[in-house]
């Protein structure tokens, strides 16, 4: 039984991990979260007070981080600025949280000998052609495209350097696109679901041909727990569930599941530098750690996600206006 510090635990994937760990293990958790626009404390409601605490603070605050890392057995580091479109408007917060924040945590883990697991993304590898038979593996060269993905790549390289130079006990996982309940409405799937629910047509960037490799957030959480408990120190594990779909297919499924005509969407200005395709080969994780995804039917996972947004408008309505105002300013 361990006491785990989860950074960014009031965000989409971090809060899923917190709920998953409290439901399935005897570990206890402290969340350290700055509570930026992307956080929602409603995602952490009803958790057992004897095994859960929330600390509001910034991962770049070295004194706060030092005390918290010293008093925990492990750190699982989710906190980051996470949205590509925002990074194109204003990269600076991405450098602060993703690079300096990770550095601050690594230094504390080094001082206190604390086990460290770093959460990262498949975007560090850049993108693939639509017809490329290869998928990303742990040995694919780094080639990030956006300010967001380049700061995540920088943070991964810091972790690798701190393992090699200072011997910290760290692992890294790089996961593909997550979907599921509690995701901020700025992101693709919840933006389109909540658009349809509010009578607005979904917005597809470019021609909608870009491919993402979708995984349910709970499968990401089970994989991270597996790496935390059984992964080899210094290793990187890619997390994916063979869920490749192009954006047009996803929008059409959302429209169909919400009883709308399949063509009832708008094509809007493309994202600059828009990565074409991501695809993960998760053989290492599956063979070495015996992990497998539980949500293997995307259509079913999407239906339950749509039902969650339909049934819990109080969770997302307060975010929607500000998120759409940012898109309007970007012409999307
Ligand atoms: P999110 O934007 O929903 O949540 C991020 C959380 O981090 C928020 O609660 C925010 O308040 C917190 N945070 C941001 N800066 C902070 C700081 N300086 N100090 C403390 N807290 C801070 O993001 P998400 O989609 O849940 O992603 C979480 C992590 O997973 C990120 O590291 C991201 O790169 C990675 N990831 C995301 C995906 C995906 O599909 N969403 C896929 C692979 C990896
Ligand atoms: O691959 C993992 C990454 O997935 C994570 O590291 C990021 O944190 C996460 O945000 C996500 O990045 P993407 O840029 O792929 O996700 P996003 O939800 O922003 O967009 C998914 C795809 O949908 C992408 O091709 C852009 C497109 N899109 C997005 C929006 C918001 C649209 O076509 N219309 C939209 O309105």
């Amino acid at each position: 039984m361990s006491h785990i510090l989860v950074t960014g635990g009031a965000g989409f994937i971090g809060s899923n991990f917190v709920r998953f760990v409290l439901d399935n293990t005897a570990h206890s958790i402290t969340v350290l979260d700055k509570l930026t626009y992307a956080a929602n404390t409603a995602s952490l409601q009803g958790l057992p007070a004897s095994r859960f605490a929330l600390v509001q603070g910034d991962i770049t605050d070295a004194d706060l981080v030092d005390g918290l890392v010293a008093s925990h057995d492990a750190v699982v580091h989710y906190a980051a600025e996470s949205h590509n479109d925002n990074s194109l408007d204003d990269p600076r917060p991405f450098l602060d949280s993703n690079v300096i924040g990770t550095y601050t945590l690594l230094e504390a883990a080094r001082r206190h000998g604390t086990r460290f697991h770093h959460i990262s993304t498949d975007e560090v590898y850049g993108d693939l052609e639509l017809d490329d038979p290869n998928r990303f593996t742990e040995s694919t060269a780094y080639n990030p495209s956006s300010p967001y993905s380049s700061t995540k790549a920088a943070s991964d390289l810091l972790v690798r350097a701190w393992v090699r130079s200072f011997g910290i006990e760290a692992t890294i996982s790089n996961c593909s696109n997550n979907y599921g309940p509690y995701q901020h409405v700025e992101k693709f799937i919840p933006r389109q679901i909540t658009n349809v629910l509010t009578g607005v047509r979904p917005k597809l960037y470019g021609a909608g041909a870009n491919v993402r490799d979708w995984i349910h957030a709970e499968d990401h959480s089970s994989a991270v727990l597996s790496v935390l408990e059984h992964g080899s120190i210094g290793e990187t594990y890619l997390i994916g569930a063979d869920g490749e779909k192009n954006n047009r297919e996803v929008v059409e499924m959302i429209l169909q599941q919400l009883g709308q005509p399949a063509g009832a969407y708008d094509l809007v200005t493309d994202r600059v530098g828009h990565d074409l395709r991501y695809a993960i080969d998760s053989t290492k994780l599956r063979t070495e750690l015996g992990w497998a995804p539980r949500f293997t039917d995307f259509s079913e996972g999407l239906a339950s996600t749509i039902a969650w947004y339909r049934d819990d408008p109080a969770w997302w309505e307060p975010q929607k206006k500000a998120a759409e105002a940012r898109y309007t300013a970007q012409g999307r």
Side-chain angles (χ1 to χ4, degrees), residues 73-85:
D73 304 305
V75 178
V76 182
H77 173 35
Y78 287 90
E81 287 293 334
S82 69
H83 194 36
N84 277 299
D85 290 326

Side-chain angles (χ1 to χ4, degrees), residues 4 17 83 117 170 205 238 312:
I4 305 173
F17 180 76
H83 194 36
H117 180 69
Y205 293 177
L238 263 56
D312 203 354

Side-chain angles (χ1 to χ4, degrees), residues 12 177-180 183 189 214-217 295 297-298 301-302 305:
F12 166 45
N177 283 65
N178 285 220
Y179 75 98
Q183 185 169 27
I189 288 180
W214 293 102
I215 181 172
H216 195 282
F295 294 82
D297 183 329
F298 180 74
L302 184 64
T305 302

Side-chain angles (χ1 to χ4, degrees), residues 17 28 35 70 89 93 111 121 124 146 173 195 226 278 281 320:
F17 180 76
S28 58
L35 302 184
D89 274 355
R111 277 191 295 276
T121 168
V124 298
S146 72
S173 55
N195 273 358
S226 186
Y278 306 137
D281 177 347
K320 184 72 179 165

Side-chain angles (χ1 to χ4, degrees), residues 70-194:
S71 59
H72 288 77
D73 304 305
V75 178
V76 182
H77 173 35
Y78 287 90
E81 287 293 334
S82 69
H83 194 36
N84 277 299
D85 290 326
N86 293 345
S87 82
L88 295 162
D89 274 355
D90 181 12
R92 179 59 197 248
F94 290 74
L95 288 152
D96 292 335
S97 293
N98 302 3
V99 182
I100 301 299
T102 302
Y103 156 77
T104 307
L105 286 157
L106 286 169
E107 282 291 80
R110 171 155 85 110
R111 277 191 295 276
H112 301 292
T114 310
R115 171 82 171 87
F116 190 87
H117 180 69
H118 180 60
I119 303 296
S120 193
T121 168
D122 58 359
E123 296 194 15
V124 298
Y125 301 115
D127 60 356
L128 297 163
E129 293 300 326
L130 293 179
D131 60 356
D132 191 331
N134 298 305
R135 298 187 291 171
F136 299 140
T137 71
E138 286 77 5
S139 54
T140 302
Y142 273 40
N143 187 27
S145 311
S146 72
Y148 162 69
S149 54
S150 60
T151 58
K152 290 300 290 187
S155 68
D156 292 12
L157 298 181
L158 292 177
V159 177
R160 290 183 183 194
W162 261 242
V163 170
R164 176 155 174 168
S165 301
F166 304 127
I168 71 158
E169 294 197 7
T171 42
I172 300 175
S173 55
N174 297 78
C175 188
S176 60
N177 283 65
N178 285 220
Y179 75 98
Y182 301 99
Q183 185 169 27
H184 194 281
V185 298
E186 70 188 354
K187 301 299 194 313
F188 177 55
I189 288 180
R191 184 183 186 206
Q192 314 315 336
I193 294 171
T194 56

